[in-house]
Amino acid sequence: MSNTPVTRKLAEWIVGLQPSDIPANVQSEGVRTFVNWLGCAIGGADHETADRAIAAFTPFSGSAQASVLGRTERFDVLHAALMNGITSHVLDYDDTHLKTIIHPAGPVASALMAVAEYQPVTGEDFLAALIVGVEVECRIGNCVYPDHYDRGWHITSTAGVFGAAAAVSRLLRLDVEQTVWALGIAATQSSGLREMFGTMCKSLHPGRAAQNGAAAAFMAAAGFDSSERSIEAPRGFANVLSTKQDYSEILDGLGSRWESALNSYKPFACGIVIHPTIDGCIQLRAGLGDAVADIEKVELVTHPLVLELTGKKTPRTGLESKFSVYHSAAVALLYGDGTPTAFTDEMATDPRVIALRDRVSAEARKDVDEDAVHITVTLKDGRRIEHHVEHAIGSIHRPLTDEELDAKFLGQAVRIIGEDKTRKLIALAWTLPRLSNVAEISAACAPASSKAA
Amino acid sequence: MSNTPVTRKLAEWIVGLQPSDIPANVQSEGVRTFVNWLGCAIGGADHETADRAIAAFTPFSGSAQASVLGRTERFDVLHAALMNGITSHVLDYDDTHLKTIIHPAGPVASALMAVAEYQPVTGEDFLAALIVGVEVECRIGNCVYPDHYDRGWHITSTAGVFGAAAAVSRLLRLDVEQTVWALGIAATQSSGLREMFGTMCKSLHPGRAAQNGAAAAFMAAAGFDSSERSIEAPRGFANVLSTKQDYSEILDGLGSRWESALNSYKPFACGIVIHPTIDGCIQLRAGLGDAVADIEKVELVTHPLVLELTGKKTPRTGLESKFSVYHSAAVALLYGDGTPTAFTDEMATDPRVIALRDRVSAEARKDVDEDAVHITVTLKDGRRIEHHVEHAIGSIHRPLTDEELDAKFLGQAVRIIGEDKTRKLIALAWTLPRLSNVAEISAACAPASSKAA
């Protein structure tokens, strides 16, 4: 526990921050975070995970207040937040705060966008709320990482629900006391198990975090109270869900050190820890040419987390294949692909992929960085080709450029809403800070068959 | 972890049990559980906690599918489950599985009743689902108690969400695989911090457990999948949320040993651990007569959990006063009351109560049982009166009779729906096993001003 009123001090910062207090580079990264999230939400819109969630909740949804981006269905604000949280994460193609492996935008932006269709929100307010929400979740993540994650919590949802609550609290203009309550209502709903990785529940997590975080803010606005010390109390979030608590990570340098500026964007549609392997295998493929067909074995030397998180030897579905470094290496060598098409049910059962996948082995070594890998390919004639990736593409050292983010967006959204709409939407999304009403964006995400306002 | 497929075996039992497999005494206790829950849900219907939750969620609710019992508002099934979970627990007057301090009915019955207004359910099916749900949550509670509770989890909601999922899975006639998924979707939403005790979030917990458990079953019905081993996997519920895991508590004697038959019903509207003190003080009051005004001091010797849970010295609100053994002793001595009227905001600020409360001290001793207390009252003239409670009223050794449950129900519901309606409702509630459609009961809970169907 801490004698410092951590929750209250954080609430004071959430309430007091002015958009003009946010440095230009942090604002720019916030827009990149938004653009990347929007493309992912549309790209995941037709996944069967979303279909099934929509089928389950349609009978219970309220009025058509907000969009499922890239689909024709509209739901009440809370269910829309849920659905966009699911779709933006289901392809494992979103963003990553590398210090905590939190995927920050899903819980926060999904909640904000749904609220922004319910009450008018300017782009300036939206961006500030997004940055505040991401800052809150990443700082709470830093407070408990890595013990909390190691214990088995999916930190994107356990910390994400705080981010969503903080962000929506700003849009609702809650005062400090109400914001303390919103954080408390979020804390007591914090949940999500890593055991669910490879199943539909993984993307349910940021969906519920968005929905429950938004609900926490609406409840606090209605006077629903909570503990005043939900984060730091002896039986608060940090003590109950973690063995490590470093509250200085939450409060120190608020407003000067920006975790939200450290966000990164995935070039590949799978767990961030596989990225060096895919990056390296795609590079190797260029040199191998037709010799890819003559591979005897592939040996990887990786950071230990790679095998812990993505050690599935025989993935049966697309969702499971995202947690197989063996599958990922095989697809990257055979097809040069790490995008969503590399992780479909079809690809998981492709005989060529299975044959090569079974020739891939991996060794975990603590002296290998998380964004690095050593790859050795041995051909049937005995030749050995070695390759070292020092910093994978998409890492903080080799971030995606704005143009690469555009290409990633196009690759996801064209299939859903067509090229013309996608290009216009991308241009519009980059203007976020200057929009008078952010609902303009969600309207522009509707597929042709939709009559969404 | 366990190599036994705990989750799957539990799902097989949930799916396979026939109502006729349930022994008569277990069925009888199930009806008592239901009657007690129904009275509590109506009794808490006009609490400001419910008012605020209703104000927050009304804009987002779906169509009027199910009732908030004892109120005129109707919500979609999931929000109705939430609200009835809140109202049935908000007075801390519900039921207790003493081995785990789970309050079993709230999460399960609140979910079932909302579903029973959405699709026709016979009394026999409802009762079997209720008993199965209570059995599942109490057994999962036994698996992790006490470590899980000691760590800071509000076990009524963390285990309750499984009970609600299991119960609704039965009403939806899910198969084994779908029931495994429902338990998994429940597991990954398991949450609720003891830090929230004394705030509105405490009763939010069983509300969310009911809502999320029901949602888990509807999602599984729509094909939304989850881990197959959500309870026992290395990163499943039991390992992540507890340091103790005894899976034999979940599986051993399923269908022959019935935890649901061990349910008990609170005679007093506060934490079960204060019950011996209130019971003893009410008995002492009878002997003291006017000398109550001359009390110099009151000394309690209690089980250690009493001070840990209910050690609030200066409660400021009715909700906080439920967590003050000092307040409870004072009100019992002054007014002979332990019902909801003993724990109002007015009573928490009553000058006579505050004056006597400050004269109460308590000592924790490990050799005192949880349902026992030693009380010594010293008067201003030096006289000392000692009293020992071996088993508090409401404990498994001194259970409330059916007539006492009726009186408790009357005491709660008359104020809300009038005496005539209450008496008819009580009579109807006891006929649960023979009803052709349980929705008849929720219709009979509507206050006069309601047009509920």
Side-chain angles (χ1 to χ4, degrees):
Chain A
M1 69 174 287
S2 166
N3 289 323
T4 305
V6 178
T7 307
R8 179 163 293 274
K9 283 181 176 291
L10 184 62
E12 287 167 356
W13 180 77
I14 293 166
V15 172
L17 185 84
Q18 299 299 314
S20 57
D21 298 336
I22 303 173
N25 70 307
V26 178
Q27 300 218 24
S28 296
E29 205 59 56
V31 176
R32 283 162 53 87
T33 293
F34 175 74
V35 170
N36 183 69
W37 166 81
L38 187 64
C40 291
I42 297 171
D46 67 343
H47 198 279
E48 66 176 337
T49 302
D51 293 342
R52 293 180 188 189
I54 285 171
F57 286 106
T58 294
F60 311 118
S61 174
S63 56
Q65 295 162 343
S67 313
V68 184
L69 303 173
R71 293 186 69 120
T72 56
E73 293 92 343
R74 289 169 61 81
F75 288 110
D76 66 85
V77 168
L78 300 176
H79 278 108
L82 168 68
M83 299 309 167
N84 291 325
I86 290 174
T87 57
S88 66
H89 188 61
V90 71
L91 297 176
D92 278 297
Y93 202 20
D94 43 3
D95 52 352
T96 308
H97 176 252
L98 292 160
K99 286 161 70 173
T100 55
I101 330 187
I102 287 173
H103 309 296
V108 179
S110 304
L112 286 175
M113 188 57 108
V115 175
E117 291 190 65
Y118 182 59
Q119 60 176 52
V121 176
T122 67
E124 183 184 45
D125 283 348
F126 186 102
L127 181 60
L130 174 62
I131 290 168
V132 164
V134 169
E135 193 68 24
V136 165
E137 68 181 320
C138 291
R139 283 172 168 265
I140 290 176
N142 284 343
C143 169
V144 294
Y145 189 88
D147 301 38
H148 170 74
Y149 188 81
D150 291 346
R151 189 170 182 88
W153 292 107
H154 188 190
I155 193 167
T156 292
S157 63
T158 55
V161 69
F162 290 98
V168 177
S169 291
R170 274 190 69 95
L171 293 195
L172 302 185
R173 313 273 184 225
L174 299 192
D175 64 23
V176 170
E177 183 69 15
Q178 291 169 321
T179 304
V180 165
W181 294 342
L183 293 171
I185 299 166
T188 208
Q189 297 184 78
S190 178
S191 61
L193 301 170
R194 279 174 55 193
E195 169 60 21
M196 298 298 155
F197 287 9
T199 79
M200 294 181 178
C201 280
K202 181 170 194 262
S203 56
L204 175 65
H205 295 166
R208 283 299 207 198
Q211 179 183 25
N212 291 336
F218 283 111
M219 292 175 77
F224 202 97
D225 71 16
S226 82
S227 161
E228 304 278 313
R229 303 169 66 236
S230 62
I231 298 172
E232 73 276 17
R235 294 232 167 72
F237 163 81
N239 284 293
V240 175
L241 280 78
S242 180
T243 42
K244 174 208 162 196
Q245 305 85 25
D246 182 352
Y247 300 108
S248 70
E249 290 281 6
I250 297 178
L251 295 181
D252 285 6
L254 267 176
S256 57
R257 171 171 65 76
W258 292 88
E259 294 296 317
S260 68
L262 304 178
N263 205 8
S264 69
Y265 313 98
K266 292 187 183 179
F268 307 127
C270 56
I272 192 79
V273 295
I274 315 186
H275 278 47
T277 297
I278 297 173
D279 189 5
C281 286
I282 289 175
Q283 293 180 48
L284 274 165
R285 179 176 184 268
L288 285 167
D290 292 343
V292 165
D294 303 320
I295 292 175
E296 176 66 30
K297 61 179 177 180
V298 180
E299 294 163 296
L300 310 172
V301 182
T302 72
H303 185 273
L305 210 51
V306 175
L307 288 183
E308 185 185 329
L309 282 171
T310 60
K312 284 188 196 285
K313 286 264 184 190
T314 56
R316 296 160 301 173
T317 67
L319 283 185
E320 282 190 353
S321 71
K322 292 172 183 288
F323 297 88
S324 173
V325 70
Y326 313 105
H327 169 91
S328 304
V331 175
L333 284 164
L334 286 167
Y335 301 110
D337 193 10
T339 71
T341 48
F343 302 99
T344 59
D345 288 351
E346 294 69 35
M347 196 65 94
T349 51
D350 179 318
R352 290 182 68 203
V353 171
I354 291 174
L356 184 53
R357 176 190 85 190
D358 293 344
R359 296 173 178 275
V360 180
S361 64
E363 176 195 349
R365 273 223 325 253
K366 287 185 183 167
D367 60 340
V368 179
D369 287 340
E370 284 187 36
D371 61 343
V373 71
H374 300 273
I375 308 174
T376 306
V377 171
T378 305
L379 299 180
K380 286 176 180 158
D381 62 10
R383 272 189 297 157
R384 288 162 55 92
I385 304 106
E386 301 206 17
H387 190 75
H388 173 59
V389 174
E390 189 175 352
H391 298 298
I393 184 169
S395 70
I396 205 80
H397 297 94
R398 287 173 62 201
L400 293 198
T401 63
D402 291 356
E403 293 68 33
E404 285 169 332
L405 284 178
D406 285 352
K408 177 180 171 185
F409 197 126
L410 269 170
Q412 295 195 86
V414 166
R415 193 174 52 81
I416 309 285
I417 59 172
E419 181 165 348
D420 185 51
K421 279 200 147 198
T422 299
R423 291 195 182 278
K424 284 179 184 159
L425 177 61
I426 292 173
L428 184 66
W430 286 107
T431 70
L432 175 69
R434 299 185 296 283
L435 291 178
S436 59
N437 187 338
V438 177
E440 200 183 328
I441 289 183
S442 42
C445 296
S449 55
S450 167
K451 294 282 184 191
Chain B
M1 70 173 287
S2 167
N3 289 323
T4 306
V6 177
T7 307
R8 179 163 294 273
K9 283 180 176 290
L10 184 62
E12 287 167 356
W13 181 77
I14 293 166
V15 172
L17 184 84
Q18 299 299 313
S20 57
D21 298 335
I22 304 173
N25 69 308
V26 178
Q27 299 218 24
S28 296
E29 205 59 55
V31 176
R32 282 160 55 85
T33 294
F34 176 74
V35 170
N36 183 70
W37 166 81
L38 187 64
C40 291
I42 297 171
D46 67 344
H47 197 280
E48 67 177 336
T49 302
D51 293 341
R52 293 180 188 189
I54 286 171
F57 286 106
T58 295
F60 311 118
S61 173
S63 56
Q65 295 162 342
S67 314
V68 185
L69 303 173
R71 293 187 69 121
T72 55
E73 292 93 343
R74 288 169 62 79
F75 287 109
D76 66 85
V77 168
L78 300 176
H79 278 108
L82 168 68
M83 299 309 169
N84 292 324
I86 290 174
T87 58
S88 67
H89 188 61
V90 71
L91 297 176
D92 277 297
Y93 201 22
D94 43 4
D95 52 351
T96 309
H97 176 251
L98 293 159
K99 287 161 70 173
T100 55
I101 332 187
I102 288 174
H103 308 298
V108 180
S110 304
L112 286 174
M113 188 57 108
V115 175
E117 291 190 64
Y118 181 60
Q119 60 176 53
V121 177
T122 67
E124 183 183 45
D125 283 346
F126 186 102
L127 181 60
L130 174 61
I131 290 168
V132 165
V134 170
E135 193 67 25
V136 165
E137 68 181 320
C138 291
R139 283 172 168 267
I140 290 176
N142 285 343
C143 169
V144 295
Y145 189 87
D147 302 38
H148 170 75
Y149 189 80
D150 291 346
R151 188 169 183 89
W153 291 108
H154 188 190
I155 194 168
T156 291
S157 63
T158 55
V161 69
F162 290 98
V168 176
S169 291
R170 274 191 68 95
L171 293 195
L172 302 185
R173 313 271 184 227
L174 299 193
D175 63 23
V176 171
E177 183 68 15
Q178 291 169 321
T179 303
V180 165
W181 293 342
L183 292 171
I185 299 167
T188 208
Q189 297 184 79
S190 179
S191 61
L193 302 170
R194 279 175 54 195
E195 168 61 20
M196 298 297 156
F197 287 8
T199 78
M200 293 181 178
C201 280
K202 181 171 194 264
S203 55
L204 175 66
H205 296 166
R208 282 300 204 197
Q211 179 182 24
N212 291 338
F218 283 111
M219 292 174 76
F224 202 96
D225 71 16
S226 81
S227 161
E228 304 277 313
R229 302 170 67 234
S230 62
I231 297 172
E232 73 277 14
R235 295 231 168 73
F237 163 81
N239 284 293
V240 175
L241 279 78
S242 179
T243 42
K244 175 208 161 195
Q245 305 87 24
D246 181 352
Y247 299 108
S248 70
E249 290 280 6
I250 296 178
L251 295 180
D252 284 6
L254 265 176
S256 57
R257 172 171 65 76
W258 292 88
E259 294 296 317
S260 68
L262 303 177
N263 205 8
S264 68
Y265 314 97
K266 291 186 184 180
F268 307 127
C270 55
I272 192 79
V273 296
I274 315 186
H275 279 47
T277 297
I278 297 173
D279 189 5
C281 286
I282 290 175
Q283 292 179 49
L284 273 166
R285 179 175 184 267
L288 285 168
D290 292 344
V292 165
D294 303 320
I295 291 175
E296 176 66 28
K297 61 179 176 180
V298 180
E299 293 162 297
L300 310 171
V301 181
T302 73
H303 185 273
L305 211 50
V306 175
L307 289 183
E308 186 185 329
L309 282 171
T310 60
K312 284 187 194 284
K313 287 264 184 190
T314 55
R316 297 160 301 172
T317 66
L319 283 186
E320 282 191 354
S321 72
K322 292 172 182 288
F323 297 88
S324 173
V325 69
Y326 313 104
H327 169 91
S328 304
V331 175
L333 284 164
L334 286 168
Y335 301 110
D337 193 10
T339 72
T341 48
F343 302 99
T344 60
D345 288 350
E346 294 69 35
M347 196 64 95
T349 51
D350 178 318
R352 289 182 68 202
V353 171
I354 291 175
L356 183 53
R357 177 190 84 190
D358 292 345
R359 295 172 178 274
V360 180
S361 64
E363 175 194 349
R365 275 220 326 250
K366 286 186 183 168
D367 60 340
V368 178
D369 285 341
E370 283 187 35
D371 61 344
V373 71
H374 300 275
I375 308 175
T376 307
V377 171
T378 306
L379 300 179
K380 287 177 179 157
D381 61 12
R383 272 189 296 158
R384 287 162 56 92
I385 303 105
E386 300 206 15
H387 189 76
H388 174 59
V389 174
E390 189 177 353
H391 299 298
I393 183 170
S395 71
I396 205 79
H397 297 93
R398 287 173 62 200
L400 293 198
T401 64
D402 290 357
E403 293 68 32
E404 285 169 331
L405 285 177
D406 285 352
K408 178 180 170 183
F409 197 127
L410 269 170
Q412 295 195 86
V414 166
R415 193 174 53 81
I416 308 285
I417 59 171
E419 181 165 349
D420 184 51
K421 278 201 148 197
T422 299
R423 290 195 183 278
K424 284 179 184 159
L425 177 60
I426 292 174
L428 184 65
W430 285 108
T431 70
L432 174 69
R434 299 185 296 282
L435 290 178
S436 59
N437 188 337
V438 177
E440 200 183 328
I441 290 183
S442 43
C445 296
S449 55
S450 167
K451 295 280 183 191

